[in-house]
Each structure stands twice: as structure tokens, then as C-alpha cells.
Amino acid sequence: MKVKMLSRNPDHYVRETKLDLHRVPRNYDPTLHPFEVPREYIRALNATKLERVFAKPFLASLDGHRDGVNCLAKNPKSLATVLSGACDGEVKIWNLTKRKCIRTIQAHEGFVRGICTRFCGTSFFTVGDDKTVKQWKMDGPSCGEEEEPLHTILGKTVYTGIDHHWREAVFATCGQQVDIWDEQRTNPICSMTWGFDSISSVKFNPIETFLLGSCASDRNIVLYDMRQATPLKKVILDMRTNTICWNPMEAFIFTAANEDYNLYTFDMRALDTPVMVHMDHVSAVLDVDYSPTGREFVSASFDKSIRIFPVDKSRSREVYHTKRMQHVICVKWTADSKYIMSGSDEMNIRLWKANASEKLGVLTSREKAATDYNQKLKEKFQHHPHIKRISRHRHLPKSIYSQIQEQRIMKEARRRKELNRIKHSKPGSVQMVSEKKKHIVAVVK
Amino acid sequence: METVPKPGSNVPPKKDRLQAKKKKPRRYWEQETTGTAAGASPGPPHKRKRSRELRPQKPKRNDTSKKFRISKKPRELKSPGPQRTFSGAQDPFAGPAPVSVEVVRKYCRIDKSKELPHAKTKTRSRLAVAEAQEEETSVRAARSELLLAEEPGFLEGEDGEDTAKIRQADIVEAVDIASAAKHFDLNLRQFGPYRLNYSRTGRHLAFGGRRGHVAALDWVTKKLMCEINVMEAVRDIRFLHSEALLAVAQNRWLHIYDNQGIELHCIRRCDRVTRLEFLPFHFLLATASETGFLTYLDVSVGKIVAALNARAGRLSVMTQNPYNAVIHLGHSNGTVSLWSPAMKEPLVKILCHRGGVRAVAVDSTGMHMATSGLDHQLKLFDLRGTFQPLSTRTLPQGAGHLAFSQRGLLAAGMGDVVNIWAGQGKASPPSLEQPYLTHRLSGHVHGLQFCPYEDVLGVGHSGGITSMLVPGAAEPNFDGLESNPYRSRKQRQEWEVKALLEKVPAELICLDPRALAEVDVISLEQAKKERAERLGYDPDTRAPFQPKPKQKGRSSTASLVKRKRKVMDQEHRDKVRQSLEQQPQKQEKAKPTGARPSALDRFVR
């Protein structure tokens, strides 16, 4: 007879002293872990609930401006530095870690229309209503020195926007036309126009650095190549586009913030259909900025809220608002992709977390593992109705909420009418137009 | 008989292949190291000699790792060739440890044969990623089996010796002292037949006698926790989620005691309870009563979740399926019904025996159910969909009590004899041909349970309690986060909080516990249909082919029409091909069965 009994030595399973960690032998055999799916589901449910409990995105409000904040700029070399221009011609430089203004410049008379930093982070440019382009040093003046711009360019017309090239000493302004400037010269290298209208913003492509996009008030978005003297092509939409922003990871993708409450993500190569129409705002969208990952972007709207959209989804994943925040004019996603800044009408710059429930600060490895695990669980069970309902729920101000309801009714009515028209006309004579095609008027090359 | 993994079937290290492999270009640092190590004259022949010198070490290493490198099948996953290091030494066990496909299959969770109907390309690619990840995790989980410390017990007779003839005294004599101490008898004759229950960790034992004697003890150290007499008949006894709480089904009502013997609750909604079952992940105490009601009590909040009328008279046979928390009730008309608190009606009714059902047991994988009836038969049922008997055996007396162990051993109490049958492994059903062990007790059996994580079978009988040694009954390696027999008080408290946080709601109990993770195709189709109705068109249907305009001069109307027609024809051909593939089966059916063809066959459709 051969016999072996299961006999464990307790010393192998119990810690030696109280200073040790408990010993936890693992066995991943599925029969020892029954109800794996229901338990994971409950964990996912708990994680989703906790996420909503901890969703406190508002971090700080930077106050100090004496008029509405009109434009924001990031410093490419310093995460903590932010520049803002106000409607009274004042430019302020902020330190985000201290949450304080470190420098104030009276840059222009009238609005500061645009502000951008040089790629090296040593200086920045502003344009204003006083028809000037000014270059400023990022560091403050030394003792006894006066606050003066490095260069001032006097133009003939009002400039409404400015953007700097990502690698070279070249910048572009817009107004009546798009001007490309060399930093050293006082006259533009070239000026490009297509039609006669005021252009509201111009943006350099961060990857294909010779490309520019601009949007004008005659409802079009025009693309330029800096190496040519003429524009490339343009797309005309239903309503005016306020700003565009290039995707920092995909060279040919850009998103346009439109007056018709929508955002349109375009592929530069095929402008006749947008890749995605992002709908959720209930008023004109004023600004848009991409996360450095290129997966998401944030939009600021006249409806006093900012929203975060995934690039490939038509609905927003997050909406931020506060009681005191008025029309949001400008928004920026910080370069570490963790924070969002918004400048609004009521003279404040607000700092938000990009992930509302994220825990800030250093995480221990166990905390990190737990959050990763919860994230995966939420992802796995995201389509279950109960979990979906909790994770989608957002409290909205009454104005936005009622507007959403109203617009839903309007949209429904429009659709019903279209259906009826199709139903009562000769088959095939009236076609259903998809949402993507609906808002594009024409593409001109 | 249990199988023991044989170290002999080891795969030898692939040394020959190593030697035959082409040599890498040598680097100057390699030369240096070999020079210093081998002595004065450097060069390739010396190096080879050195490696030969090293060779005696290799088998030694191999020996030590023998028990870890188990791969019963030649099929292995991922074993790339060995890599050389800077020093020139070769890793004899290069690459990840070998894993056999069978072990990996155990950890597989996705059924890859199933395909989603009408899945879009994006979804399909996402599924492919998920499948790849799942495969990787299952391989990793399988590889982690190398780290398991304990091996299961076994009992083997010498050639021709019947293990059923081996007495408990022989086993006790043969095994070590610590194991021998696990065999004991409690002689408690005056308090009548006993029911017993082990806690989930297998550390604690509670028993209650018909004459009201209730006791709980840490049976490993034999430390008594409490001993009381409830002055009432005790029908059944059960630990709740931890060893601190005890549910006792007394003559009239259900009582809950703590581990000090203090009565915490008297639940009058559950009266005349005959059997108790505790569902640990749902925190439900299921009670079967004489009045014919199956009642689910949520012990975490103290509410009755469901009271189901089984409409089958007195309920005295009950067990739970540990795989899906479905309650099995045995009835006097020979049926076994499966219940979940979410349904008023039984999920399944199985006719098992001609007479009444005396005992039911379900194994830990939830695949097999053993039943015994008044017709003296012991049957083993397949629970995976078919509910058909796998094997049947007639016992001279018929079994009054049944129990499955963690590794699939089946124990049956017949009068004052306990028989144990074993299968060929963990997931296989026990073969009822030859008993693995038998034991005669001093009284009639009244309660049976295998102790979790110990090779012990607890038997409650009219003479007291007997703890039998059954080598190979229990799972040798416990999971410390699930149920740890060696846990401290603090660990238990922490576990309790976690377990309560992830308490599974009672509504989720159903036959397939993985149903929650599967795609709900029916409601998906329904939602699609509704959406198409609402929109007035189906957004998922493909638009008719519209040829793209080509270069100047090549886009004439005729060529456009031609291209359009080409695509249409292709689609039509595909459709015809598909329908042709389906047709032969139909034709075969339509053919007349008669041997000789008849003239009238032409009219057959």
C-alpha cells in the first residue's frame, strides 16, 4: 500500500513575525473562483459608482483679469506656465503650480485677439485690435528695465489671430488675409486670400509643418501650403466655423468648431464628408483643442460649458460647467494631457482635470494596480444597461438641460418631416441625406 | 484511483539541437571572458571542453526541476531556442517554461468556435484583440501552476490489492503524525444522530445532534469554540459566510448563533426547516421546510429574498450547485427540481428515480449530479444541458447521504457504511464500478461532508462524529484571497468586507453563471429592428454600389454601367453559390426512401 495524505506545514503559510507581510498563496484554478463573471460585474458596478462619486474635476480658478479672457496659450517648454490675453488688451502670465499670476503686461489697446508662444518657449507673440503684432520676452524685464516688446509690427488692418510655426522662425497672422511672416522682417513673406472676408483663426499643422488651416466668416475652411503662394482647397459648410485644431498625432485630421453647435472632424484628403460630426453642445462652439494623445479633444461653447469628445465618437464623454462660468471663449488641453484650462467671459481662467475622477499625486503601486483593474472592468461591462446608465449620468444646469430637450424635439420633427416627404414622393426621387453630408455645402479646389 | 503526475514523462532539455546550432560571430569581450575562465590558451575547442565540463551540472539542475517541468503531452506552447549570454554559458531552460495545451484549456474562458452574427469589421477586430489577450492570460495562468506548492494525496494498492480493503487503521498507521491526528471519533451516543458542517476554509467544524446538542470547534487544533444544548431537536446546522456565525434549523424555527453560542436571531419566517444551504457569494441562506417552501434569506441584510412553493410536499433533500448557486431539491415522486430565487417555477425538473429521492449531491465543477433513491439506485447525471444519467449502480441498501469532494470523489452513506468512489481526475465523473474506500461506523450515517482543503471526510452518525482519512479528496492548493485556512483574524475581517462589497445579487442566479458576459443577441436584434422602424430605414444595410468617377475620358456612362453590372453580377453569383451549398441537403431529404425508382417519383416535391 502506498499512501500520501495532504499535509501542509503551517510555517509555509503563516508569516514568521508580525513585521512580515501575510503570506497569500494563489491558485488561479477556475473552480476555486466560482461566479467569476457576476462578481466581476458587481466590482465593475462598484467601480462605476465610485467613479461618479469621485468625479470632482474643478481644480482652481485663476482670477485677476479685468475683462473677459479672449485667448490662451501654452508654453511649449514649461508645463506650469500659461499665458492669457483679455479683452482689455492685458496679457497675463500664470504659474499653475502656485496658481498665481506672475506677470502682467498691458499689451494692446482694445482686445488681445491672439496669442501664441514661440516653439523654443523664450518669447511670445500677441496681436490686438490696435493693428499691431508684438513679440515679447517670456521672462520678465530685469530690474529698472521697462516692460517693452522685443518687436512691434504695425499693420494696415486688424489682425484676428496668430499662430507660430512649430519648427522655424515663421509665424502666420490672419485678418483680411493670411499673412506669413518671417520673425526678422516687418513685411509679410506672403499674403494669401481666397475671396474677401475676415478670417477668424489660422493654425499650423504640427506634423506637416508647412500646412496651415484657416476659417473665415464666409462659412469656409481654407487649407494652405506655406511653400506655395496660393491656397490648396477649401470646404464650405452650412454655418461659420470659429476655430480649427489639428490632430497632433494624425497629420491629416483636424476638427472644426462650428456655429451650428456641432464640431466636424475632417480628413484633409477628403473634405466632402467629415469623418465624424460631434454633436452635444446646445450653442455655438467657440474653441477646440486636442489632447496631446490625439485621441480626444475639448471644446468650449457659448452655452457656458466645455465638453470632452473622443475623436471617433459623435457624443461627448464629459461635460464641465459651474454656476459662475459664463460663455467659454477659449480652451486649452495641457501638454501632459492631464488638465484642461478654460477662459471665459467672466474674467476667470479655470483649471480642470481631464479625467474627472482621476486621483492626483503620486500613486502607490497597489493604488495604481487597483485603478487599472477597475478601468478594465468598467471597459468590459460598459454596455450593461445598469452600468451604462450610471456612467453616462451627468448633472446639467437647467438651461442646458431644457435646451437639449428642446433641440431633441426639433430634430425629431425635422426627421419626421423628411420621412413624410420621402413617403409621399415618387420612390427614389427624394433621398435620405446622412448627418455627415448634410452640413457640407461644397468643396472647392 | 487518483492519478499522480509522473516525473518520468519529462521532456529532456534540447541539448543536441544546441550543439548543432551555428555559432554566433565572436566578440572581443566573449574571447576575454572565456580566456580568463578556461585558462591560458583561448579558442573555440577549449570553449567546447568547458561546456562539456559543465555538463554534469545540468542533469542535477534537471533533477531539482523535475517536478515543476510537468508536461504530460508532447504538444507544447512556445519554447523558442536557447539564447547565449555574454559569458558564453547557455541557459539550459531557455525561454518561458513549457505549458501543455490541456492545462491551458482549463483556464480558457472564450469559446472561439462561436462567431457573432453580422459583426462589423471594427467589432471583429476588437474581438480578435480580446481573444489574443485572453489566450495570453490563460497561458500565463497555466504557467503559474508551476508555482503551486502542494501535491494531492493518493492511495495505491500494491498490484492486485483492492484499496477498498484498506482500513482506516492501516492508513493512520502509514501516514505522518500530523495527518494521523486528523482521524478521530467523537463518541456522543446520548444526543442522537448528528448533522455536521465544515466552514468554507475547512478549518472549523460545527455539529448538531437530534437531541439538541450543538457544538463548534476548530477541528485541526481540537479547540472547542462553543457547546450548547438548544433543548430542541436540531434538524440541520450550517456555518454562514465565516466561522463566526452558525445557522441551526431547530424543531420550530431557524436560529442563528455566534461562535460563542449566543443566540443572535430567531427567524420565525422560516419554520419547520429540514435542510439548510448557504450560498457564500450571494450571502443567501436557503432553507427547505416541512411545509414545502424553499426560502432564501439574505443574511447580510436580514431580508427574505424569495419564498418559493415547491408544491411537492415535505422537502427533506436539498443541495446546492457550487458552480451556479442553483438549489437542487429532491422530491418523493422521484424528481429533482432546480431552483433559483429569480423564478417562481423550477428551472429544470429531472425525473431521476422510480421511488422517492433520498439524497442529491453536486460536484464542485457543476458538471455532475449524484442522486440516490428509494429504488436503491445511485445515479450520476450530466448537468451540462442534457440532464441524462451517465452511469447507474444498484446498491444493496441504497444510499441515504451523498457528498462530493473538491477533487470529484463521491461518498455515499448506506446504513452504517460509508463508500467512496473515485474517478480518473478532477473533472471526470467517479466510476461507480469499484469503491475507492469503505468504512464501517458505529452507528447509522446521518450527515456527510468532505472537509475543504483537507483529505478528510466528516461523518455524522448516531454514535457521534467520525473524521475519516480519504487521501486525494481535497484540493491541495488553496487560494489565499478566496478561502485561506491559515488566515488571521485581521485577514478574515478584511476578506469579509471585500466579500460583502462584491455580494452577487440573488437575481443573477441562473443555470449558466457566465451568461452575463455573453452578447445578448436577441435583444440586440430587437433593438436593431426598432431602430430601423424609428428611422424609417436600416442604417446598417449597405448602400447600392456607386462606381467612383475615374480619370478624364475613362468615366463614360457606358463604362460606369458596365462596372455597376459587374459588381451586381458578382453579388448575384455569391448568392447563388450560397444557396447551392445549402441545397444538396434539401434534395437528399426529398429523395424517396424506396429501393426501386418509381415512375411517380417525378411528382415528388
Side-chain angles (χ1 to χ4, degrees), chain B residues 49-94:
Chain B
K49 199 184 269 175
R50 191 178 149 259
S51 71
R52 218 173 274 154
E53 278 164 15
L54 270 175
R55 216 177 281 163
Q57 288 182 357
K58 276 183 200 166
K60 218 190 268 173
R61 264 195 228 168
N62 205 1
D63 278 345
T64 53
S65 66
K66 244 178 193 175
K67 60 180 170 183
F68 297 112
R69 285 172 66 86
I70 293 160
S71 56
K72 286 176 188 169
K73 303 286 167 185
R75 277 191 291 166
E76 281 174 4
L77 291 172
K78 281 186 192 172
S79 52
Q83 287 173 345
R84 290 198 173 179
T85 54
F86 279 139
S87 63
Q90 289 161 3
D91 183 3
F93 307 108

Side-chain angles (χ1 to χ4, degrees), chain B residues 277-540:
Chain B
E277 272 301 337
F278 185 68
L279 311 176
F281 296 98
H282 305 78
F283 286 83
L284 290 178
L285 183 68
T287 58
S289 70
E290 275 180 357
T291 51
F293 273 89
L294 170 63
T295 313
Y296 287 88
L297 175 74
D298 189 332
V299 296
S300 65
V301 290
K303 259 189 190 165
I304 286 186
V305 171
L308 310 170
N309 189 355
R311 292 199 201 89
R314 185 178 192 271
L315 301 175
S316 56
V317 180
M318 174 163 77
T319 190
Q320 67 164 306
N321 186 339
Y323 172 67
N324 55 14
V326 166
I327 292 287
H328 294 225
L329 291 177
H331 302 298
S332 54
N333 59 358
T335 57
V336 169
S337 55
L338 276 56
W339 295 84
S340 113
M343 296 267 285
K344 286 274 174 220
E345 297 297 314
L347 302 170
V348 180
K349 267 185 168 181
I350 314 161
L351 180 61
C352 298
H353 293 282
R354 291 246 172 101
V357 178
R358 287 179 72 193
V360 182
V362 184
D363 75 337
S364 61
T365 57
M367 286 183 191
H368 309 296
M369 173 177 75
T371 61
S372 80
L374 285 172
D375 55 357
H376 291 199
Q377 290 216 317
L378 175 62
K379 285 186 182 176
L380 210 58
F381 281 84
D382 184 5
L383 283 184
R384 290 171 299 174
T386 59
F387 302 108
Q388 292 300 315
L390 293 171
S391 52
T392 311
R393 189 193 159 96
T394 312
L395 301 169
Q397 275 187 301
H401 298 273
L402 292 171
F404 268 107
S405 86
Q406 281 180 320
R407 285 171 58 80
L409 269 61
L410 175 63
M414 302 164 288
D416 59 349
V417 178
V418 173
N419 264 14
I420 297 160
W421 291 276
Q424 291 301 320
K426 201 173 173 189
S428 67
S431 62
L432 301 180
E433 304 293 313
Q434 198 71 31
Y436 174 62
L437 271 179
T438 53
H439 185 57
R440 184 176 289 275
L441 302 152
S442 58
H444 278 258
V445 177
H446 196 62
L448 270 181
Q449 198 192 353
F450 279 100
C451 178
Y453 307 111
E454 292 288 355
D455 283 345
V456 161
L457 170 67
V459 188
H461 50 88
S462 49
I465 300 285
T466 301
S467 171
M468 267 177 71
L469 301 187
V470 186
E475 173 62 44
N477 297 293
F478 57 85
D479 190 288
L481 295 185
E482 201 74 72
S483 50
N484 186 351
Y486 297 99
R487 68 187 175 191
S488 63
R489 210 174 99 244
K490 262 269 164 310
Q491 273 177 306
R492 193 195 77 206
Q493 287 165 351
E494 212 161 284
W495 166 85
E496 207 167 348
V497 169
K498 285 227 160 122
L500 279 165
L501 273 177
E502 58 190 47
K503 182 183 86 164
V504 182
E507 306 90 66
L508 292 184
I509 297 178
C510 60
L511 281 177
D512 181 11
R514 299 195 66 83
L516 205 60
E518 269 159 25
V519 179
D520 186 1
V521 178
I522 298 168
S523 58
L524 186 80
E525 300 273 324
Q526 182 67 25
K528 262 189 182 175
K529 211 189 262 174
E530 277 171 11
R531 185 161 157 237
E533 226 163 69
R534 203 176 60 239
L535 289 174
Y537 70 102
D538 190 1
D540 293 332

Side-chain angles (χ1 to χ4, degrees), chain A residues 99-115:
Chain A
R99 294 170 187 181
K100 269 187 186 153
C101 174
I102 49 175
R103 204 172 142 208
T104 310
I105 310 164
Q106 186 60 42
H108 294 277
E109 287 164 23
F111 280 48
V112 180
R113 285 289 174 186
I115 187 166

Side-chain angles (χ1 to χ4, degrees), chain A residues 1-15 21-43 45-46 276 312-313 366 373 376 379-384 412 415 419 422 432-435, chain B residues 106-107 109 133 144 148 150-156 158 161 166 170 174-176 179 182 281-282 322-325 365 426 453-455 469 471 475-482 486 488 491 501-505 508 513-514 516-517 534-537:
Chain A
M1 177 184 75
K2 274 201 286 188
V3 63
K4 177 190 174 283
M5 281 275 288
L6 189 58
S7 154
R8 298 191 191 88
N9 186 353
D11 294 347
H12 296 160
Y13 295 94
V14 180
R15 58 178 178 178
L21 291 176
H22 283 293
R23 285 189 180 154
V24 183
R26 300 303 310 271
N27 185 356
Y28 298 103
D29 191 341
T31 49
L32 293 186
H33 303 270
F35 305 104
E36 184 184 64
V37 173
R39 285 163 79 193
E40 275 188 351
Y41 170 75
I42 296 299
R43 279 180 206 156
L45 189 64
N46 290 344
M276 191 56 76
D312 52 351
K313 295 270 159 53
R366 283 178 67 190
Y373 179 63
K376 190 74 197 168
E379 198 180 298
K380 185 175 174 184
F381 291 97
Q382 61 186 340
H383 297 297
H384 280 74
E412 178 67 20
R415 222 210 59 242
L419 275 182
I422 291 171
M432 190 71 103
V433 184
S434 71
E435 189 66 38
Chain B
K106 191 170 82 176
Y107 293 97
R109 288 174 176 87
Q133 280 177 346
S144 75
L148 298 182
E150 304 283 341
E151 299 217 341
F154 58 86
L155 175 64
E156 278 174 8
E158 261 135 47
E161 191 188 357
I166 297 170
D170 302 338
V175 298
D176 55 326
S179 303
K182 288 171 191 164
F281 296 98
H282 305 78
Y323 172 67
N324 55 14
T365 57
K426 201 173 173 189
Y453 307 111
E454 292 288 355
D455 283 345
L469 301 187
E475 173 62 44
N477 297 293
F478 57 85
D479 190 288
L481 295 185
E482 201 74 72
Y486 297 99
S488 63
Q491 273 177 306
L501 273 177
E502 58 190 47
K503 182 183 86 164
V504 182
L508 292 184
R514 299 195 66 83
L516 205 60
R534 203 176 60 239
L535 289 174
Y537 70 102

Side-chain angles (χ1 to χ4, degrees), chain B residues 57-242:
Chain B
Q57 288 182 357
K58 276 183 200 166
K60 218 190 268 173
R61 264 195 228 168
N62 205 1
D63 278 345
T64 53
S65 66
K66 244 178 193 175
K67 60 180 170 183
F68 297 112
R69 285 172 66 86
I70 293 160
S71 56
K72 286 176 188 169
K73 303 286 167 185
R75 277 191 291 166
E76 281 174 4
L77 291 172
K78 281 186 192 172
S79 52
Q83 287 173 345
R84 290 198 173 179
T85 54
F86 279 139
S87 63
Q90 289 161 3
D91 183 3
F93 307 108
V99 192
S100 84
V101 175
E102 276 62 36
V103 181
V104 173
R105 195 171 297 147
K106 191 170 82 176
Y107 293 97
C108 253
R109 288 174 176 87
I110 296 180
D111 184 7
K112 282 171 195 162
S113 59
K114 263 191 207 166
E115 245 185 52
L116 271 190
H118 330 297
K120 286 184 183 167
T121 353
K122 219 175 184 179
T123 317
R124 226 175 287 147
S125 63
R126 208 176 288 158
L127 282 178
V129 170
E131 268 178 19
Q133 280 177 346
E134 205 272 343
E135 182 158 340
E136 198 196 328
T137 46
S138 53
V139 168
R140 281 191 182 198
R143 187 162 291 133
S144 75
E145 276 202 352
L146 295 178
L147 303 173
L148 298 182
E150 304 283 341
E151 299 217 341
F154 58 86
L155 175 64
E156 278 174 8
E158 261 135 47
D159 37 17
E161 191 188 357
D162 186 6
T163 50
K165 297 265 169 65
I166 297 170
R167 291 177 303 138
Q168 283 290 306
D170 302 338
I171 297 176
V172 168
E173 214 167 86
V175 298
D176 55 326
I177 304 170
S179 303
K182 288 171 191 164
H183 173 72
F184 60 89
D185 267 309
L186 295 181
N187 206 348
L188 302 159
R189 223 152 246 299
Q190 69 262 42
F191 293 114
Y194 275 88
R195 295 282 299 171
L196 83 172
N197 182 235
Y198 287 102
S199 66
R200 269 190 73 224
T201 56
R203 191 63 195 248
H204 299 271
L205 171 69
F207 49 87
R210 169 89 50 80
R211 310 261 158 78
H213 176 219
V214 170
L217 71 158
D218 180 343
W219 71 270
V220 181
T221 57
K222 315 280 190 303
K223 212 179 89 189
L224 193 65
M225 291 200 296
C226 69
E227 189 172 23
I228 48 172
N229 199 319
V230 297
M231 307 302 283
E232 207 176 0
V234 170
R235 301 278 200 26
D236 202 357
I237 188 164
R238 195 75 32 177
F239 274 114
L240 298 189
H241 57 277
S242 72

Side-chain angles (χ1 to χ4, degrees), chain A residues 113-146:
Chain A
R113 285 289 174 186
I115 187 166
C116 72
T117 46
R118 205 168 179 273
F119 57 90
C120 59
T122 53
S123 64
F124 63 92
F125 296 83
T126 57
V127 290
D129 270 355
D130 52 0
K131 302 182 185 175
T132 53
V133 181
K134 290 182 180 173
Q135 185 182 10
W136 305 83
K137 266 205 309 192
M138 192 66 82
D139 309 323
S142 50
C143 193
E145 217 175 302
E146 266 189 53

